Amino acid sequence: MTWDLLNVVAVAAFAFSGAIVALSERYDIFGTFILGIATPFAGGIIRNIALDVPVVHVWEQERLLVIASITIAIVYFFPKGWVMFWDRWNVYLDAIGLSAFAIQGASFAIEADFPLGGVLFAAILTGVGGGVARDVLAQRKPMVLHKEIYAVWAMLAGLIMGLGWVDVNSVIQTYLLFFVIISLRLLSYHLGWHLMFRDLYRI
């Protein structure tokens, strides 16, 4: 049940985010649906391919595809003035999707008895894969490539779950981690936390 609810939250948030980005880039209805569908499902597909797990079950989740399609349709038929308003708040939707999908990816790997490395890998790919697909299709710089902290929070979720610090079967612990990862992502964005980087200049 916990996994199902996280899937619904993540799919709705990322579908909304993808559709908002598509409309802000002036995509037509077809392009909006393509971007809106790619955002919530690309991460799971990339994860399954990387972990040599069949991809077909991703497309068997008809209920989630319906939820994504309804969400995209709602966004598309919103008054256009709302689009730019929501685009400014897209970081919040992205944080929700990042957290939910990272936890879902880690849960998937744990259920499949992958070692810690596999759990981390699954959390990162599932958490950031959809956002990367969205930004690439929209010809934007992917958030994961920014100097601000992004993928680290997906990795942290995977680490916490892979080490058993959060019980996958505990609703309270899982949702506590869900809100902690969202909070950390938003704090890193608003407070300008960065990973160490170097600027190189030609003299």
PDB file of all heavy atoms in Angstrom, residues 7 11 14 35-51 55 57-59 61 97 101-102 104-106 108 121-134:
ATOM      1  N   ASN A   7       3.772   5.713  -5.582  1.00  0.00           N
ATOM      2  CA  ASN A   7       3.722   5.697  -7.043  1.00  0.00           C
ATOM      3  C   ASN A   7       2.743   6.726  -7.578  1.00  0.00           C
ATOM      4  O   ASN A   7       3.030   7.463  -8.523  1.00  0.00           O
ATOM      5  CB  ASN A   7       3.323   4.303  -7.542  1.00  0.00           C
ATOM      6  CG  ASN A   7       4.521   3.414  -7.802  1.00  0.00           C
ATOM      7  OD1 ASN A   7       5.604   3.888  -8.106  1.00  0.00           O
ATOM      8  ND2 ASN A   7       4.325   2.125  -7.674  1.00  0.00           N
ATOM      9  N   VAL A  11       3.947   9.872  -9.747  1.00  0.00           N
ATOM     10  CA  VAL A  11       3.481   9.969 -11.141  1.00  0.00           C
ATOM     11  C   VAL A  11       2.722  11.264 -11.370  1.00  0.00           C
ATOM     12  O   VAL A  11       2.945  11.967 -12.362  1.00  0.00           O
ATOM     13  CB  VAL A  11       2.605   8.746 -11.501  1.00  0.00           C
ATOM     14  CG1 VAL A  11       1.848   8.995 -12.799  1.00  0.00           C
ATOM     15  CG2 VAL A  11       3.476   7.502 -11.635  1.00  0.00           C
ATOM     16  N   PHE A  14       5.280  14.313 -11.220  1.00  0.00           N
ATOM     17  CA  PHE A  14       6.165  14.403 -12.381  1.00  0.00           C
ATOM     18  C   PHE A  14       5.396  14.639 -13.676  1.00  0.00           C
ATOM     19  O   PHE A  14       5.879  15.325 -14.576  1.00  0.00           O
ATOM     20  CB  PHE A  14       7.024  13.146 -12.486  1.00  0.00           C
ATOM     21  CG  PHE A  14       8.396  13.299 -11.885  1.00  0.00           C
ATOM     22  CD1 PHE A  14       8.736  14.420 -11.147  1.00  0.00           C
ATOM     23  CD2 PHE A  14       9.360  12.318 -12.060  1.00  0.00           C
ATOM     24  CE1 PHE A  14       9.989  14.570 -10.595  1.00  0.00           C
ATOM     25  CE2 PHE A  14      10.632  12.456 -11.524  1.00  0.00           C
ATOM     26  CZ  PHE A  14      10.953  13.586 -10.786  1.00  0.00           C
ATOM     27  N   LEU A  35       5.907  14.660 -23.255  1.00  0.00           N
ATOM     28  CA  LEU A  35       6.781  15.103 -22.173  1.00  0.00           C
ATOM     29  C   LEU A  35       6.188  14.744 -20.814  1.00  0.00           C
ATOM     30  O   LEU A  35       6.913  14.338 -19.892  1.00  0.00           O
ATOM     31  CB  LEU A  35       7.003  16.618 -22.267  1.00  0.00           C
ATOM     32  CG  LEU A  35       8.247  17.168 -21.554  1.00  0.00           C
ATOM     33  CD1 LEU A  35       9.508  16.541 -22.121  1.00  0.00           C
ATOM     34  CD2 LEU A  35       8.315  18.683 -21.683  1.00  0.00           C
ATOM     35  N   GLY A  36       4.861  14.888 -20.710  1.00  0.00           N
ATOM     36  CA  GLY A  36       4.196  14.562 -19.444  1.00  0.00           C
ATOM     37  C   GLY A  36       4.251  13.089 -19.107  1.00  0.00           C
ATOM     38  O   GLY A  36       4.334  12.716 -17.928  1.00  0.00           O
ATOM     39  N   ILE A  37       4.218  12.215 -20.111  1.00  0.00           N
ATOM     40  CA  ILE A  37       4.314  10.772 -19.877  1.00  0.00           C
ATOM     41  C   ILE A  37       5.755  10.353 -19.632  1.00  0.00           C
ATOM     42  O   ILE A  37       6.050   9.508 -18.775  1.00  0.00           O
ATOM     43  CB  ILE A  37       3.735   9.984 -21.076  1.00  0.00           C
ATOM     44  CG1 ILE A  37       2.212  10.179 -21.160  1.00  0.00           C
ATOM     45  CG2 ILE A  37       4.069   8.500 -20.961  1.00  0.00           C
ATOM     46  CD1 ILE A  37       1.445   9.567 -20.011  1.00  0.00           C
ATOM     47  N   ALA A  38       6.683  10.951 -20.382  1.00  0.00           N
ATOM     48  CA  ALA A  38       8.099  10.587 -20.254  1.00  0.00           C
ATOM     49  C   ALA A  38       8.630  10.901 -18.864  1.00  0.00           C
ATOM     50  O   ALA A  38       9.429  10.135 -18.306  1.00  0.00           O
ATOM     51  CB  ALA A  38       8.926  11.316 -21.308  1.00  0.00           C
ATOM     52  N   THR A  39       8.200  12.015 -18.286  1.00  0.00           N
ATOM     53  CA  THR A  39       8.762  12.454 -17.005  1.00  0.00           C
ATOM     54  C   THR A  39       8.540  11.443 -15.880  1.00  0.00           C
ATOM     55  O   THR A  39       9.486  11.100 -15.168  1.00  0.00           O
ATOM     56  CB  THR A  39       8.212  13.839 -16.619  1.00  0.00           C
ATOM     57  OG1 THR A  39       8.416  14.747 -17.700  1.00  0.00           O
ATOM     58  CG2 THR A  39       8.908  14.375 -15.377  1.00  0.00           C
ATOM     59  N   PRO A  40       7.332  10.933 -15.666  1.00  0.00           N
ATOM     60  CA  PRO A  40       7.161   9.965 -14.576  1.00  0.00           C
ATOM     61  C   PRO A  40       7.619   8.544 -14.891  1.00  0.00           C
ATOM     62  O   PRO A  40       7.884   7.771 -13.964  1.00  0.00           O
ATOM     63  CB  PRO A  40       5.649   9.999 -14.317  1.00  0.00           C
ATOM     64  CG  PRO A  40       5.031  10.422 -15.588  1.00  0.00           C
ATOM     65  CD  PRO A  40       6.023  11.351 -16.229  1.00  0.00           C
ATOM     66  N   PHE A  41       7.716   8.170 -16.154  1.00  0.00           N
ATOM     67  CA  PHE A  41       8.000   6.770 -16.463  1.00  0.00           C
ATOM     68  C   PHE A  41       9.421   6.503 -16.963  1.00  0.00           C
ATOM     69  O   PHE A  41       9.878   5.358 -16.936  1.00  0.00           O
ATOM     70  CB  PHE A  41       6.991   6.252 -17.498  1.00  0.00           C
ATOM     71  CG  PHE A  41       5.590   6.149 -16.955  1.00  0.00           C
ATOM     72  CD1 PHE A  41       4.630   7.090 -17.296  1.00  0.00           C
ATOM     73  CD2 PHE A  41       5.247   5.134 -16.085  1.00  0.00           C
ATOM     74  CE1 PHE A  41       3.346   7.015 -16.775  1.00  0.00           C
ATOM     75  CE2 PHE A  41       3.963   5.036 -15.561  1.00  0.00           C
ATOM     76  CZ  PHE A  41       3.008   5.983 -15.909  1.00  0.00           C
ATOM     77  N   ALA A  42      10.123   7.526 -17.422  1.00  0.00           N
ATOM     78  CA  ALA A  42      11.470   7.306 -17.978  1.00  0.00           C
ATOM     79  C   ALA A  42      12.436   6.774 -16.935  1.00  0.00           C
ATOM     80  O   ALA A  42      13.271   5.907 -17.231  1.00  0.00           O
ATOM     81  CB  ALA A  42      12.004   8.607 -18.580  1.00  0.00           C
ATOM     82  N   GLY A  43      12.346   7.264 -15.693  1.00  0.00           N
ATOM     83  CA  GLY A  43      13.264   6.819 -14.644  1.00  0.00           C
ATOM     84  C   GLY A  43      13.155   5.330 -14.378  1.00  0.00           C
ATOM     85  O   GLY A  43      14.166   4.631 -14.251  1.00  0.00           O
ATOM     86  N   GLY A  44      11.910   4.820 -14.306  1.00  0.00           N
ATOM     87  CA  GLY A  44      11.710   3.395 -14.069  1.00  0.00           C
ATOM     88  C   GLY A  44      12.210   2.543 -15.218  1.00  0.00           C
ATOM     89  O   GLY A  44      12.770   1.463 -15.007  1.00  0.00           O
ATOM     90  N   ILE A  45      12.024   3.038 -16.437  1.00  0.00           N
ATOM     91  CA  ILE A  45      12.491   2.300 -17.611  1.00  0.00           C
ATOM     92  C   ILE A  45      14.015   2.236 -17.631  1.00  0.00           C
ATOM     93  O   ILE A  45      14.610   1.168 -17.847  1.00  0.00           O
ATOM     94  CB  ILE A  45      11.965   2.956 -18.901  1.00  0.00           C
ATOM     95  CG1 ILE A  45      10.436   2.802 -18.987  1.00  0.00           C
ATOM     96  CG2 ILE A  45      12.625   2.353 -20.131  1.00  0.00           C
ATOM     97  CD1 ILE A  45       9.803   3.580 -20.109  1.00  0.00           C
ATOM     98  N   ILE A  46      14.663   3.370 -17.390  1.00  0.00           N
ATOM     99  CA  ILE A  46      16.126   3.414 -17.363  1.00  0.00           C
ATOM    100  C   ILE A  46      16.657   2.499 -16.260  1.00  0.00           C
ATOM    101  O   ILE A  46      17.630   1.764 -16.456  1.00  0.00           O
ATOM    102  CB  ILE A  46      16.617   4.857 -17.151  1.00  0.00           C
ATOM    103  CG1 ILE A  46      16.227   5.739 -18.353  1.00  0.00           C
ATOM    104  CG2 ILE A  46      18.134   4.897 -16.944  1.00  0.00           C
ATOM    105  CD1 ILE A  46      16.456   7.217 -18.132  1.00  0.00           C
ATOM    106  N   ARG A  47      16.007   2.541 -15.085  1.00  0.00           N
ATOM    107  CA  ARG A  47      16.423   1.683 -13.969  1.00  0.00           C
ATOM    108  C   ARG A  47      16.338   0.209 -14.337  1.00  0.00           C
ATOM    109  O   ARG A  47      17.275  -0.560 -14.112  1.00  0.00           O
ATOM    110  CB  ARG A  47      15.532   1.963 -12.764  1.00  0.00           C
ATOM    111  CG  ARG A  47      15.766   1.036 -11.566  1.00  0.00           C
ATOM    112  CD  ARG A  47      14.550   1.016 -10.668  1.00  0.00           C
ATOM    113  NE  ARG A  47      13.395   0.439 -11.342  1.00  0.00           N
ATOM    114  CZ  ARG A  47      12.123   0.776 -11.063  1.00  0.00           C
ATOM    115  NH1 ARG A  47      11.863   1.700 -10.175  1.00  0.00           N
ATOM    116  NH2 ARG A  47      11.134   0.186 -11.715  1.00  0.00           N
ATOM    117  N   ASN A  48      15.225  -0.194 -14.922  1.00  0.00           N
ATOM    118  CA  ASN A  48      15.045  -1.601 -15.265  1.00  0.00           C
ATOM    119  C   ASN A  48      16.042  -2.075 -16.310  1.00  0.00           C
ATOM    120  O   ASN A  48      16.568  -3.179 -16.231  1.00  0.00           O
ATOM    121  CB  ASN A  48      13.616  -1.832 -15.767  1.00  0.00           C
ATOM    122  CG  ASN A  48      12.599  -1.842 -14.638  1.00  0.00           C
ATOM    123  OD1 ASN A  48      12.867  -1.341 -13.549  1.00  0.00           O
ATOM    124  ND2 ASN A  48      11.425  -2.396 -14.892  1.00  0.00           N
ATOM    125  N   ILE A  49      16.307  -1.215 -17.295  1.00  0.00           N
ATOM    126  CA  ILE A  49      17.299  -1.574 -18.317  1.00  0.00           C
ATOM    127  C   ILE A  49      18.674  -1.729 -17.679  1.00  0.00           C
ATOM    128  O   ILE A  49      19.406  -2.691 -17.952  1.00  0.00           O
ATOM    129  CB  ILE A  49      17.334  -0.514 -19.432  1.00  0.00           C
ATOM    130  CG1 ILE A  49      16.017  -0.537 -20.228  1.00  0.00           C
ATOM    131  CG2 ILE A  49      18.518  -0.747 -20.355  1.00  0.00           C
ATOM    132  CD1 ILE A  49      15.891   0.575 -21.243  1.00  0.00           C
ATOM    133  N   ALA A  50      19.039  -0.798 -16.807  1.00  0.00           N
ATOM    134  CA  ALA A  50      20.358  -0.826 -16.167  1.00  0.00           C
ATOM    135  C   ALA A  50      20.516  -2.035 -15.244  1.00  0.00           C
ATOM    136  O   ALA A  50      21.606  -2.598 -15.133  1.00  0.00           O
ATOM    137  CB  ALA A  50      20.590   0.464 -15.385  1.00  0.00           C
ATOM    138  N   LEU A  51      19.421  -2.438 -14.578  1.00  0.00           N
ATOM    139  CA  LEU A  51      19.478  -3.567 -13.647  1.00  0.00           C
ATOM    140  C   LEU A  51      19.101  -4.891 -14.296  1.00  0.00           C
ATOM    141  O   LEU A  51      18.973  -5.903 -13.616  1.00  0.00           O
ATOM    142  CB  LEU A  51      18.557  -3.295 -12.445  1.00  0.00           C
ATOM    143  CG  LEU A  51      18.909  -2.081 -11.582  1.00  0.00           C
ATOM    144  CD1 LEU A  51      17.907  -1.922 -10.448  1.00  0.00           C
ATOM    145  CD2 LEU A  51      20.331  -2.211 -11.022  1.00  0.00           C
ATOM    146  N   VAL A  55      11.318  -4.553 -18.726  1.00  0.00           N
ATOM    147  CA  VAL A  55      10.725  -3.217 -18.746  1.00  0.00           C
ATOM    148  C   VAL A  55       9.207  -3.273 -18.904  1.00  0.00           C
ATOM    149  O   VAL A  55       8.495  -2.346 -18.531  1.00  0.00           O
ATOM    150  CB  VAL A  55      11.341  -2.382 -19.896  1.00  0.00           C
ATOM    151  CG1 VAL A  55      10.686  -1.007 -19.994  1.00  0.00           C
ATOM    152  CG2 VAL A  55      12.834  -2.229 -19.686  1.00  0.00           C
ATOM    153  N   HIS A  57       6.732  -4.487 -17.424  1.00  0.00           N
ATOM    154  CA  HIS A  57       5.792  -4.264 -16.323  1.00  0.00           C
ATOM    155  C   HIS A  57       5.548  -2.783 -16.061  1.00  0.00           C
ATOM    156  O   HIS A  57       4.527  -2.406 -15.479  1.00  0.00           O
ATOM    157  CB  HIS A  57       6.285  -4.950 -15.044  1.00  0.00           C
ATOM    158  CG  HIS A  57       7.248  -4.136 -14.240  1.00  0.00           C
ATOM    159  ND1 HIS A  57       8.599  -4.139 -14.474  1.00  0.00           N
ATOM    160  CD2 HIS A  57       7.045  -3.272 -13.206  1.00  0.00           C
ATOM    161  CE1 HIS A  57       9.197  -3.320 -13.624  1.00  0.00           C
ATOM    162  NE2 HIS A  57       8.288  -2.779 -12.850  1.00  0.00           N
ATOM    163  N   VAL A  58       6.489  -1.927 -16.504  1.00  0.00           N
ATOM    164  CA  VAL A  58       6.274  -0.479 -16.356  1.00  0.00           C
ATOM    165  C   VAL A  58       5.038  -0.049 -17.132  1.00  0.00           C
ATOM    166  O   VAL A  58       4.246   0.785 -16.682  1.00  0.00           O
ATOM    167  CB  VAL A  58       7.519   0.299 -16.839  1.00  0.00           C
ATOM    168  CG1 VAL A  58       7.244   1.800 -16.823  1.00  0.00           C
ATOM    169  CG2 VAL A  58       8.725  -0.035 -15.972  1.00  0.00           C
ATOM    170  N   TRP A  59       4.847  -0.637 -18.329  1.00  0.00           N
ATOM    171  CA  TRP A  59       3.723  -0.267 -19.180  1.00  0.00           C
ATOM    172  C   TRP A  59       2.445  -1.033 -18.840  1.00  0.00           C
ATOM    173  O   TRP A  59       1.409  -0.798 -19.446  1.00  0.00           O
ATOM    174  CB  TRP A  59       4.089  -0.478 -20.642  1.00  0.00           C
ATOM    175  CG  TRP A  59       5.290   0.307 -21.033  1.00  0.00           C
ATOM    176  CD1 TRP A  59       6.502  -0.162 -21.412  1.00  0.00           C
ATOM    177  CD2 TRP A  59       5.410   1.741 -21.040  1.00  0.00           C
ATOM    178  NE1 TRP A  59       7.374   0.875 -21.670  1.00  0.00           N
ATOM    179  CE2 TRP A  59       6.732   2.058 -21.449  1.00  0.00           C
ATOM    180  CE3 TRP A  59       4.530   2.790 -20.746  1.00  0.00           C
ATOM    181  CZ2 TRP A  59       7.186   3.375 -21.565  1.00  0.00           C
ATOM    182  CZ3 TRP A  59       4.991   4.105 -20.859  1.00  0.00           C
ATOM    183  CH2 TRP A  59       6.296   4.373 -21.270  1.00  0.00           C
ATOM    184  N   GLN A  61       1.151  -0.857 -15.889  1.00  0.00           N
ATOM    185  CA  GLN A  61       0.542  -0.096 -14.795  1.00  0.00           C
ATOM    186  C   GLN A  61      -0.482   0.885 -15.376  1.00  0.00           C
ATOM    187  O   GLN A  61      -0.275   2.094 -15.398  1.00  0.00           O
ATOM    188  CB  GLN A  61       1.617   0.646 -14.004  1.00  0.00           C
ATOM    189  CG  GLN A  61       2.700  -0.285 -13.455  1.00  0.00           C
ATOM    190  CD  GLN A  61       3.810   0.470 -12.763  1.00  0.00           C
ATOM    191  OE1 GLN A  61       3.684   0.871 -11.609  1.00  0.00           O
ATOM    192  NE2 GLN A  61       4.905   0.688 -13.471  1.00  0.00           N
ATOM    193  N   GLY A  97       8.433  14.535  -6.747  1.00  0.00           N
ATOM    194  CA  GLY A  97       8.703  13.405  -7.630  1.00  0.00           C
ATOM    195  C   GLY A  97      10.055  12.772  -7.352  1.00  0.00           C
ATOM    196  O   GLY A  97      10.184  11.541  -7.329  1.00  0.00           O
ATOM    197  N   PHE A 101      10.071   8.910  -6.105  1.00  0.00           N
ATOM    198  CA  PHE A 101      10.634   7.922  -7.026  1.00  0.00           C
ATOM    199  C   PHE A 101      11.947   7.340  -6.504  1.00  0.00           C
ATOM    200  O   PHE A 101      12.257   6.178  -6.772  1.00  0.00           O
ATOM    201  CB  PHE A 101      10.844   8.537  -8.405  1.00  0.00           C
ATOM    202  CG  PHE A 101       9.639   8.408  -9.289  1.00  0.00           C
ATOM    203  CD1 PHE A 101       9.078   9.522  -9.894  1.00  0.00           C
ATOM    204  CD2 PHE A 101       9.048   7.173  -9.512  1.00  0.00           C
ATOM    205  CE1 PHE A 101       7.963   9.404 -10.712  1.00  0.00           C
ATOM    206  CE2 PHE A 101       7.935   7.047 -10.324  1.00  0.00           C
ATOM    207  CZ  PHE A 101       7.385   8.158 -10.925  1.00  0.00           C
ATOM    208  N   ALA A 102      12.736   8.123  -5.778  1.00  0.00           N
ATOM    209  CA  ALA A 102      13.964   7.589  -5.189  1.00  0.00           C
ATOM    210  C   ALA A 102      13.626   6.490  -4.177  1.00  0.00           C
ATOM    211  O   ALA A 102      14.253   5.422  -4.160  1.00  0.00           O
ATOM    212  CB  ALA A 102      14.765   8.701  -4.525  1.00  0.00           C
ATOM    213  N   GLN A 104      10.802   4.797  -4.100  1.00  0.00           N
ATOM    214  CA  GLN A 104      10.197   3.691  -4.851  1.00  0.00           C
ATOM    215  C   GLN A 104      11.272   2.839  -5.505  1.00  0.00           C
ATOM    216  O   GLN A 104      11.207   1.613  -5.512  1.00  0.00           O
ATOM    217  CB  GLN A 104       9.225   4.250  -5.904  1.00  0.00           C
ATOM    218  CG  GLN A 104       8.405   3.178  -6.596  1.00  0.00           C
ATOM    219  CD  GLN A 104       8.905   2.891  -8.009  1.00  0.00           C
ATOM    220  OE1 GLN A 104      10.095   3.020  -8.279  1.00  0.00           O
ATOM    221  NE2 GLN A 104       8.007   2.508  -8.877  1.00  0.00           N
ATOM    222  N   GLY A 105      12.292   3.489  -6.081  1.00  0.00           N
ATOM    223  CA  GLY A 105      13.376   2.751  -6.719  1.00  0.00           C
ATOM    224  C   GLY A 105      14.164   1.916  -5.721  1.00  0.00           C
ATOM    225  O   GLY A 105      14.505   0.754  -5.996  1.00  0.00           O
ATOM    226  N   ALA A 106      14.449   2.502  -4.551  1.00  0.00           N
ATOM    227  CA  ALA A 106      15.153   1.756  -3.509  1.00  0.00           C
ATOM    228  C   ALA A 106      14.307   0.573  -3.031  1.00  0.00           C
ATOM    229  O   ALA A 106      14.827  -0.534  -2.830  1.00  0.00           O
ATOM    230  CB  ALA A 106      15.479   2.681  -2.336  1.00  0.00           C
ATOM    231  N   PHE A 108      12.058  -1.031  -4.737  1.00  0.00           N
ATOM    232  CA  PHE A 108      12.065  -2.004  -5.832  1.00  0.00           C
ATOM    233  C   PHE A 108      13.307  -2.884  -5.754  1.00  0.00           C
ATOM    234  O   PHE A 108      13.232  -4.117  -5.880  1.00  0.00           O
ATOM    235  CB  PHE A 108      12.020  -1.262  -7.163  1.00  0.00           C
ATOM    236  CG  PHE A 108      12.103  -2.137  -8.384  1.00  0.00           C
ATOM    237  CD1 PHE A 108      10.952  -2.662  -8.954  1.00  0.00           C
ATOM    238  CD2 PHE A 108      13.327  -2.443  -8.964  1.00  0.00           C
ATOM    239  CE1 PHE A 108      11.021  -3.470 -10.086  1.00  0.00           C
ATOM    240  CE2 PHE A 108      13.407  -3.247 -10.093  1.00  0.00           C
ATOM    241  CZ  PHE A 108      12.249  -3.767 -10.652  1.00  0.00           C
ATOM    242  N   PHE A 121      21.923   2.573  -6.793  1.00  0.00           N
ATOM    243  CA  PHE A 121      21.805   2.791  -8.233  1.00  0.00           C
ATOM    244  C   PHE A 121      20.341   2.941  -8.633  1.00  0.00           C
ATOM    245  O   PHE A 121      19.981   3.837  -9.401  1.00  0.00           O
ATOM    246  CB  PHE A 121      22.451   1.608  -8.964  1.00  0.00           C
ATOM    247  CG  PHE A 121      22.837   1.905 -10.382  1.00  0.00           C
ATOM    248  CD1 PHE A 121      23.667   2.966 -10.694  1.00  0.00           C
ATOM    249  CD2 PHE A 121      22.370   1.106 -11.417  1.00  0.00           C
ATOM    250  CE1 PHE A 121      24.038   3.232 -12.000  1.00  0.00           C
ATOM    251  CE2 PHE A 121      22.732   1.366 -12.731  1.00  0.00           C
ATOM    252  CZ  PHE A 121      23.567   2.429 -13.022  1.00  0.00           C
ATOM    253  N   ALA A 122      19.493   2.065  -8.105  1.00  0.00           N
ATOM    254  CA  ALA A 122      18.070   2.111  -8.435  1.00  0.00           C
ATOM    255  C   ALA A 122      17.423   3.389  -7.921  1.00  0.00           C
ATOM    256  O   ALA A 122      16.589   3.995  -8.604  1.00  0.00           O
ATOM    257  CB  ALA A 122      17.358   0.890  -7.854  1.00  0.00           C
ATOM    258  N   ALA A 123      17.800   3.818  -6.720  1.00  0.00           N
ATOM    259  CA  ALA A 123      17.235   5.045  -6.152  1.00  0.00           C
ATOM    260  C   ALA A 123      17.610   6.260  -6.987  1.00  0.00           C
ATOM    261  O   ALA A 123      16.768   7.126  -7.275  1.00  0.00           O
ATOM    262  CB  ALA A 123      17.716   5.225  -4.709  1.00  0.00           C
ATOM    263  N   ILE A 124      18.872   6.329  -7.395  1.00  0.00           N
ATOM    264  CA  ILE A 124      19.331   7.478  -8.180  1.00  0.00           C
ATOM    265  C   ILE A 124      18.682   7.501  -9.554  1.00  0.00           C
ATOM    266  O   ILE A 124      18.136   8.528  -9.986  1.00  0.00           O
ATOM    267  CB  ILE A 124      20.869   7.461  -8.316  1.00  0.00           C
ATOM    268  CG1 ILE A 124      21.519   7.677  -6.953  1.00  0.00           C
ATOM    269  CG2 ILE A 124      21.331   8.545  -9.288  1.00  0.00           C
ATOM    270  CD1 ILE A 124      23.021   7.462  -6.952  1.00  0.00           C
ATOM    271  N   LEU A 125      18.724   6.364 -10.258  1.00  0.00           N
ATOM    272  CA  LEU A 125      18.164   6.319 -11.611  1.00  0.00           C
ATOM    273  C   LEU A 125      16.669   6.588 -11.618  1.00  0.00           C
ATOM    274  O   LEU A 125      16.160   7.321 -12.474  1.00  0.00           O
ATOM    275  CB  LEU A 125      18.449   4.962 -12.252  1.00  0.00           C
ATOM    276  CG  LEU A 125      19.896   4.683 -12.672  1.00  0.00           C
ATOM    277  CD1 LEU A 125      20.003   3.303 -13.294  1.00  0.00           C
ATOM    278  CD2 LEU A 125      20.387   5.746 -13.646  1.00  0.00           C
ATOM    279  N   THR A 126      15.949   6.003 -10.662  1.00  0.00           N
ATOM    280  CA  THR A 126      14.501   6.203 -10.625  1.00  0.00           C
ATOM    281  C   THR A 126      14.154   7.625 -10.196  1.00  0.00           C
ATOM    282  O   THR A 126      13.199   8.217 -10.698  1.00  0.00           O
ATOM    283  CB  THR A 126      13.836   5.201  -9.658  1.00  0.00           C
ATOM    284  OG1 THR A 126      14.360   3.892  -9.881  1.00  0.00           O
ATOM    285  CG2 THR A 126      12.331   5.164  -9.864  1.00  0.00           C
ATOM    286  N   GLY A 127      14.946   8.171  -9.261  1.00  0.00           N
ATOM    287  CA  GLY A 127      14.662   9.506  -8.757  1.00  0.00           C
ATOM    288  C   GLY A 127      14.945  10.619  -9.752  1.00  0.00           C
ATOM    289  O   GLY A 127      14.163  11.555  -9.888  1.00  0.00           O
ATOM    290  N   VAL A 128      16.063  10.509 -10.476  1.00  0.00           N
ATOM    291  CA  VAL A 128      16.463  11.613 -11.354  1.00  0.00           C
ATOM    292  C   VAL A 128      16.197  11.342 -12.828  1.00  0.00           C
ATOM    293  O   VAL A 128      16.229  12.269 -13.635  1.00  0.00           O
ATOM    294  CB  VAL A 128      17.961  11.960 -11.160  1.00  0.00           C
ATOM    295  CG1 VAL A 128      18.286  12.161  -9.695  1.00  0.00           C
ATOM    296  CG2 VAL A 128      18.873  10.895 -11.763  1.00  0.00           C
ATOM    297  N   GLY A 129      15.949  10.072 -13.191  1.00  0.00           N
ATOM    298  CA  GLY A 129      15.799   9.728 -14.605  1.00  0.00           C
ATOM    299  C   GLY A 129      14.682  10.483 -15.301  1.00  0.00           C
ATOM    300  O   GLY A 129      14.847  10.975 -16.426  1.00  0.00           O
ATOM    301  N   GLY A 130      13.524  10.591 -14.642  1.00  0.00           N
ATOM    302  CA  GLY A 130      12.401  11.292 -15.251  1.00  0.00           C
ATOM    303  C   GLY A 130      12.669  12.771 -15.443  1.00  0.00           C
ATOM    304  O   GLY A 130      12.341  13.349 -16.489  1.00  0.00           O
ATOM    305  N   GLY A 131      13.285  13.395 -14.431  1.00  0.00           N
ATOM    306  CA  GLY A 131      13.612  14.814 -14.544  1.00  0.00           C
ATOM    307  C   GLY A 131      14.622  15.089 -15.632  1.00  0.00           C
ATOM    308  O   GLY A 131      14.528  16.086 -16.357  1.00  0.00           O
ATOM    309  N   VAL A 132      15.602  14.197 -15.779  1.00  0.00           N
ATOM    310  CA  VAL A 132      16.598  14.345 -16.846  1.00  0.00           C
ATOM    311  C   VAL A 132      15.930  14.220 -18.212  1.00  0.00           C
ATOM    312  O   VAL A 132      16.182  15.022 -19.121  1.00  0.00           O
ATOM    313  CB  VAL A 132      17.709  13.289 -16.702  1.00  0.00           C
ATOM    314  CG1 VAL A 132      18.612  13.287 -17.937  1.00  0.00           C
ATOM    315  CG2 VAL A 132      18.544  13.559 -15.453  1.00  0.00           C
ATOM    316  N   ALA A 133      15.046  13.203 -18.358  1.00  0.00           N
ATOM    317  CA  ALA A 133      14.334  13.020 -19.630  1.00  0.00           C
ATOM    318  C   ALA A 133      13.501  14.251 -19.967  1.00  0.00           C
ATOM    319  O   ALA A 133      13.481  14.711 -21.110  1.00  0.00           O
ATOM    320  CB  ALA A 133      13.448  11.780 -19.558  1.00  0.00           C
ATOM    321  N   ARG A 134      12.820  14.797 -18.962  1.00  0.00           N
ATOM    322  CA  ARG A 134      12.003  15.996 -19.179  1.00  0.00           C
ATOM    323  C   ARG A 134      12.836  17.168 -19.651  1.00  0.00           C
ATOM    324  O   ARG A 134      12.499  17.839 -20.639  1.00  0.00           O
ATOM    325  CB  ARG A 134      11.307  16.361 -17.857  1.00  0.00           C
ATOM    326  CG  ARG A 134      10.501  17.657 -17.886  1.00  0.00           C
ATOM    327  CD  ARG A 134      10.293  18.181 -16.467  1.00  0.00           C
ATOM    328  NE  ARG A 134      11.572  18.492 -15.836  1.00  0.00           N
ATOM    329  CZ  ARG A 134      11.775  18.370 -14.522  1.00  0.00           C
ATOM    330  NH1 ARG A 134      10.819  17.938 -13.721  1.00  0.00           N
ATOM    331  NH2 ARG A 134      12.971  18.675 -14.020  1.00  0.00           N
TER     332      ARG A 134
END
